[in-house]
Amino acid sequence: MEGRLREIFWDKLSSTQELSEREKVFENIVLQEPKNKSFGDLSTNASMVLASYLKSDPLSIAETLKDKIFSLWEEIEDIAVEKPGFINFRLKDSFIKEKLKEVAIQKERYGFNQTGNGVKVHLEYVSSNPTGDLHIGHGRWGALGDTLANIYNANGYEVFREYYVNDYGTQIEKFADCVKSLYLSHFGIKMPYPSDGYPEETVSKVAGEIYQKYGDRFILRKDTKSPEVDVEGLGRKAVEIMLSNIKETLSLMGVTYDNWFYESSLYEGDRFERVVDELKQRGVVYEKDGAVWFKTSNFGDEKDRVVIRSEGNPTYFASDILYLMNKIARGFDLLIYILGADHHGYVKRLQAVAKSLGIDVKRLVIIIGQLVRIVKSGNVVKMSRRKGKTYTLKDLLKEVGKDPVRYFFCTASFDTPMDFDVDLAKQKSAKNPVYYVQYAHARIESVIEKAKSVIPENISTGPDIERLLRESNKDSSSWFVDLIENLSLDRVDFSRIQFKNSSERDLAKTVIFYPDVIYGSCRNNSPYQLVQYLYRLASEFHFFYNHYRILRNNRINIDRFILALLVRVVLRNALKILNLSAPERM
RNA sequence: GCGCUUGUAGCUCAGUUGGAUAGAGCAACGGACUUCUAAUCCGUGGGUCGGGGGUUCGAAUCCCUCCAAGCGCGCCA
């Protein structure tokens, strides 16, 4: 769908209108499916947009466009002008069939496009501190980030997924102190636990594990009164353990990364000093009250931010700057950040840094996701990190399972604050939309399984298939297996496929709209659009399946059978992008 | 106090950047298995788009204002 129709559309439109501000006007013109099916397959608001520009009547413009332009459009069977000025199109069946053949040819690549043109995308998501368990919100960023990466990849971008590990700075030192306190307790040494420390439940697990595995290795001098401990080594080990825990949880979700980037690596050697020098040369930092400040307020931020504290150590913001520069230096064209709403304060200062360094702000795509609340038995579960008992992402994954968790997190847009109803997601029943979608796939598999047992001569169809069977060097049954296994439809004349009713045609149309969805969900950074499409496709298939037989009386309706095979292709491709399983049996 | 985000059916969410009668799913009610899997399908009911102004041919969408919720406003990370 995507390319051809749109190109023709713009071509024809622009060739007849001599518009000086063409682009501006055209931005608002859309070619899309009408809300109401009865209006046809596609619709455009072109005449209404042009009306305001040309200061003319939309209806008469619509008539002109219709007669002079779209009548020459060979893919269109029928054009109609409706009330306010919409121009509605009905696609020729032959066009739909032509597009269906592309599904069969492209198979698992169907839906992919090259609009990204190899642009290098850096995608950072989750990046939770290794000082605690992942909570539910991280699951949302994990599912959305991973899916978005797949979507960008499907659009021809070169995607690099990275997790930023905060293993540097005061936060980690504090964490190490907590671990030290509980670690020593295993040796009967009592130390006061830091009053503002991390939850003891988490820390004690880590301390216990270190004690189990390494015994007293981190105690340099055993002296009950003032023991000397390798706090740095202890901290590193603790981070390692926490991180492996995080990795384990993410892998339960199928969330993976190309690289785990350590904040501490930003400070290796004299890297930091060199960057500070560069910033000074550029004149974007200055000293005040013994600290080094960044002139973020010159570039849209509310105020300036401290980069180096008066004590001489860098702030967290310093790492942000280093990391941003590091990403650019590694050659990434587009930097996508997925951040929780509690981090929205970063947006302006990150953009300010980019501007001050002469980096086009458009290269930063900062997605702010709203937070997730957990609802159990109708009540909101409070998520306090301080209090020991929290409902973690791992708990959720163990309770609900990978597929529903990913699916649910991807149904809502980033902007929507969502309630995750655990009780609902837990139900492995008809209520669960993920099963609904997967069931559509399982049903197709089931039909195929059944069809294999049908004698190929009983394929009820036109002469095309018969010809294929005759011409085939292989015996007829192997040809049929080839059709099923490899979707070898290249010799089938698709123009012979018949739509005997509107639901078959609708289903075919939904299949050929898939590439548009892949494109749109990328452009809008909206994985949920893919999820909604998937649900719609499944729904239309279920309707089709319930109303029309593919197999009857030991005979195969080959038109419907092929359609089902093509639906299977799209279901699989979409499920793969969402990293959900496509079960053969349920 | 300032800033960001959100407010659409009983519930969970869409609404393609200003367009057609505001849509899905779940829940509720009523139907459909001698059938390729009923984890399915069909039908019905359900709305002052948080409230009020404004902009224009036309507003859930843009502007103003008020209300409500979440989050952020450190030489914390």
Side-chain angles (χ1 to χ4, degrees), chain A residues 29 43-53 56-59 61-62 65 82-87:
Chain A
I29 296 177
S43 177
T44 181
N45 62 348
S47 66
M48 290 180 289
V49 174
L50 291 172
S52 59
Y53 181 75
S56 177
D57 174 37
L59 278 174
I61 293 178
L65 289 175
E82 293 291 340
K83 234 177 15 190
F86 286 100
I87 307 173

Side-chain angles (χ1 to χ4, degrees), chain A residues 242-293:
Chain A
M242 291 306 293
L243 209 55
S244 74
N245 199 18
I246 286 169
K247 285 182 184 177
E248 186 195 332
T249 304
L250 289 172
S251 76
L252 283 175
M253 285 187 72
V255 173
T256 57
Y257 290 91
D258 295 306
N259 189 35
W260 296 71
F261 189 95
Y262 287 79
E263 182 185 4
S264 56
S265 71
L266 293 168
Y267 294 93
E268 280 168 8
D270 61 349
R271 283 178 191 177
F272 181 54
E273 289 72 16
R274 288 217 308 268
V275 168
V276 172
D277 284 345
E278 187 187 334
L279 294 177
K280 279 178 182 166
Q281 276 182 13
R282 285 175 176 271
V284 293
V285 294
Y286 62 93
E287 287 190 32
K288 193 183 94 180
D289 305 332
V292 176
W293 298 69

Side-chain angles (χ1 to χ4, degrees), chain A residues 320-337:
Chain A
D320 284 340
I321 300 169
L322 292 170
Y323 190 31
L324 171 62
M325 294 173 76
N326 176 283
K327 288 177 185 176
I328 295 292
R330 279 188 282 163
F332 293 109
D333 304 303
L334 204 60
L335 313 183
I336 304 180
Y337 294 77

Side-chain angles (χ1 to χ4, degrees), chain A residues 434-447:
Chain A
V434 67
Y435 293 114
Y436 179 88
V437 170
Q438 290 174 324
Y439 185 50
H441 183 266
R443 269 187 154 169
I444 296 173
E445 290 291 341
S446 176
V447 171

Side-chain angles (χ1 to χ4, degrees), chain A residues 46 94 152 180 213 223 275 318 331 359 370 453 457 568 584:
Chain A
S94 59
Y152 267 83
K180 174 187 166 189
K213 283 187 180 168
D223 178 340
V275 168
I359 299 163
Q370 296 301 308
S453 64
E457 282 75 16
R568 181 175 71 157
E584 298 188 358

Side-chain angles (χ1 to χ4, degrees), chain A residues 355-480:
Chain A
K355 280 183 206 164
S356 73
L357 296 172
I359 299 163
D360 187 353
V361 201
K362 285 180 195 153
R363 289 171 65 188
L364 301 195
V365 178
I366 305 172
I367 297 172
I368 299 299
Q370 296 301 308
L371 302 176
V372 183
R373 293 195 308 177
I374 281 295
V375 176
K376 256 187 140 176
S377 317
N379 298 315
V380 174
V381 179
K382 285 286 174 193
M383 307 270 293
S384 163
R385 276 201 162 190
R386 284 295 139 90
K387 292 182 179 176
K389 202 71 182 167
T390 55
Y391 189 79
T392 66
L393 179 58
K394 189 179 272 185
D395 295 332
L396 180 72
L397 283 162
K398 282 180 176 165
E399 193 167 354
V400 178
K402 175 200 156 201
D403 283 358
V405 167
R406 286 189 69 114
Y407 187 96
F408 271 79
F409 278 138
C410 287
T411 48
S413 98
F414 283 103
D415 285 337
T416 307
M418 75 180 278
D419 285 351
F420 197 110
D421 188 335
V422 176
D423 302 318
L424 190 79
K426 226 161 62 174
Q427 292 182 35
K428 299 202 169 180
S429 71
K431 316 287 177 292
N432 211 329
V434 67
Y435 293 114
Y436 179 88
V437 170
Q438 290 174 324
Y439 185 50
H441 183 266
R443 269 187 154 169
I444 296 173
E445 290 291 341
S446 176
V447 171
I448 290 168
E449 204 50 42
K450 207 89 175 180
K452 280 179 184 169
S453 64
V454 174
I455 322 161
E457 282 75 16
N458 276 348
I459 295 171
S460 71
T461 180
D464 193 49
I465 296 295
E466 284 170 23
R467 178 182 61 81
L468 279 171
L469 290 172
R470 257 201 326 277
E471 289 177 2
S472 178
N473 290 330
K474 305 164 186 174
D475 63 88
S476 50
S477 62
S478 76
W479 173 83
F480 192 63

